[in-house]
Amino acid sequence: MAAVKLSKDIVRSFVNSFDTVLFDCDGVLWAGSKIINRAIETVNYLKESGKQIFYVTNNSTKTRSQYLEKLTKLGFNAEENEIATSGYLVASYLQSINFKQTAYLIGSKGFAEELENHGIKHTQIGPDVMPTEMQYYVNGKIEMEEDVGAVVIGFDEHLSYPKILKAANHLANPDCLFLASNADETFPMEIPLVVPGTGVMVRAVETASLRTAKVFGKPSVAMFEAISKKCKIDPKRTLMIGDRCNTDISFGKNCQLTTLLVLTGVTSLKQLEQYKNNEQHILIPDFYTDSLGDLLDLLEQ
């Protein structure tokens, strides 16, 4: 199995083969603060052509309304009901099971706001530093939060030993839920810099607690199921566009969607060749191209 590079010869039939498009954001539409080549024009063109558009992101640091504000400010013709974030999925899930306890949150301000929007109580966010040497801290100095019924993890730049310790101890209770927004190893950046992602935080707590988190972001099918509940979508005529094979492309494969990899984020062409040589089929997209703007460029030729 080999990914097909988009070309002028096939682009028209390719576009006609789908009615719905799911876009990852970081690494596809933008990298850091930089808009990727013709991404805005391409997304708006597809929507104006009658395609159903959704933005599906594993980033839990912003609420859906904050994403909408960013998208519209940049020039994307977007609506809030077209946006699905991993933080929104976690909050929606807790609301759906009538969760009334407190969530121990390792996460950001945006994730906290999303939980609050769904009526979910959570612990304080921000730094939780070791006030003294560990042996003194664990011998009576540690204060555990009360009525915690779930440990919830998203990206947290203030991850610390006390947070991991508290999360693991809450999870010692088998009735405590263990939920994660996503498990991305890194963030795509506009400069060559390795920026550890939420997966680092999730793995740390999983290791300490000897438990496995329920992950809501891609490649979990939870993202697609949430969208499908609200909108009519035919998987056979749906395209997933992403920059990362182990999340975006695997997500598309898990949901039986057509997949397009853009080489503007995490996965490189060299890595794609390695997946092919190792026959890692779930990581191999149906199509690939250098950037999202290539789609519009090819259509205009």
Side-chain angles (χ1 to χ4, degrees):
M1 178 182 179
V4 177
K5 183 173 176 60
L6 280 186
S7 67
K8 179 181 177 181
D9 295 334
I10 66 171
V11 69
R12 185 63 60 182
S13 59
F14 170 73
V15 171
N16 290 337
S17 70
F18 53 82
D19 303 316
T20 303
V21 193
L22 309 183
F23 291 95
D24 178 47
C25 297
D26 296 283
V28 176
L29 306 181
W30 53 71
S33 60
K34 181 181 178 182
I35 299 297
I36 293 173
N37 178 43
R38 300 197 77 186
I40 299 170
E41 296 90 336
T42 303
V43 175
N44 289 346
Y45 169 82
L46 291 173
K47 186 170 184 178
E48 290 162 6
S49 299
K51 307 298 184 184
Q52 188 173 211
I53 301 298
F54 292 97
Y55 303 89
V56 291
T57 175
N58 277 1
N59 193 330
S60 66
T61 63
K62 294 182 177 65
T63 64
R64 289 203 306 165
S65 61
Q66 289 171 331
Y67 258 101
L68 178 62
E69 182 180 356
K70 178 175 182 176
L71 286 162
T72 53
K73 186 176 181 179
L74 290 172
F76 290 93
N77 180 13
E79 301 171 30
E80 187 167 323
N81 61 7
E82 297 171 336
I83 302 169
T85 72
S86 57
Y88 170 77
L89 294 182
V90 173
S92 296
Y93 171 75
L94 289 171
Q95 184 184 59
S96 73
I97 64 172
N98 199 31
F99 182 79
K100 297 300 183 184
Q101 292 176 273
T102 299
Y104 181 77
L105 176 61
I106 295 177
S108 63
K109 181 180 179 181
F111 201 170
E113 289 181 11
E114 198 67 82
L115 291 172
E116 291 161 12
N117 291 342
H118 288 76
I120 306 300
K121 294 180 292 184
H122 61 82
T123 55
Q124 184 176 345
I125 58 171
D128 185 358
V129 299
M130 185 79 76
T132 182
E133 294 181 9
M134 185 181 70
Q135 66 184 79
Y136 298 108
Y137 180 65
V138 298
N139 290 332
K141 298 287 185 179
I142 182 171
E143 295 182 5
M144 299 289 290
E145 295 78 3
E146 297 181 356
D147 195 36
V148 169
V151 169
V152 176
I153 302 181
F155 180 76
D156 189 344
E157 60 192 12
H158 300 293
L159 181 68
S160 61
Y161 192 87
K163 288 189 178 186
I164 298 170
L165 188 153
K166 291 177 182 179
N169 278 277
H170 285 305
L171 290 169
N173 175 3
D175 294 327
C176 184
L177 302 175
F178 187 11
L179 313 177
S181 63
N182 67 89
D184 292 15
E185 298 87 353
T186 59
F187 277 114
M189 299 296 291
E190 58 189 296
I191 58 175
L193 181 70
V194 176
V195 178
T198 306
V200 175
M201 292 106 199
V202 176
R203 300 291 195 288
V205 176
E206 285 183 333
T207 300
S209 66
L210 299 178
R211 289 184 56 177
T212 301
K214 177 180 175 63
V215 178
F216 285 77
K218 299 166 291 182
S220 168
V221 299
M223 187 83 74
F224 187 72
E225 290 174 345
I227 297 171
S228 299
K229 286 180 181 179
K230 298 183 178 180
C231 304
K232 185 178 180 180
I233 301 178
D234 180 0
K236 295 180 180 179
R237 291 190 58 81
T238 300
L239 174 68
M240 174 65 210
I241 303 179
D243 70 293
R244 187 193 296 256
C245 285
N246 68 338
T247 55
D248 301 322
I249 302 306
S250 294
F251 167 73
K253 297 285 186 180
N254 288 337
C255 300
Q256 308 300 310
L257 315 179
T258 302
T259 53
L260 171 65
L261 175 72
V262 292
L263 301 172
T264 47
V266 174
T267 301
S268 66
L269 189 57
K270 182 179 179 180
Q271 289 172 313
L272 189 57
E273 287 297 320
Q274 291 174 345
Y275 298 149
K276 175 186 173 183
N277 294 336
N278 295 332
E279 297 187 352
Q280 295 173 276
H281 299 306
I282 198 168
L283 300 178
I284 302 174
D286 299 302
F287 300 89
Y288 75 95
T289 193
D290 293 331
S291 72
L292 182 60
D294 293 344
L295 188 60
L296 195 54
D297 291 340
L298 291 169
L299 287 169
E300 292 176 343
Q301 290 179 9

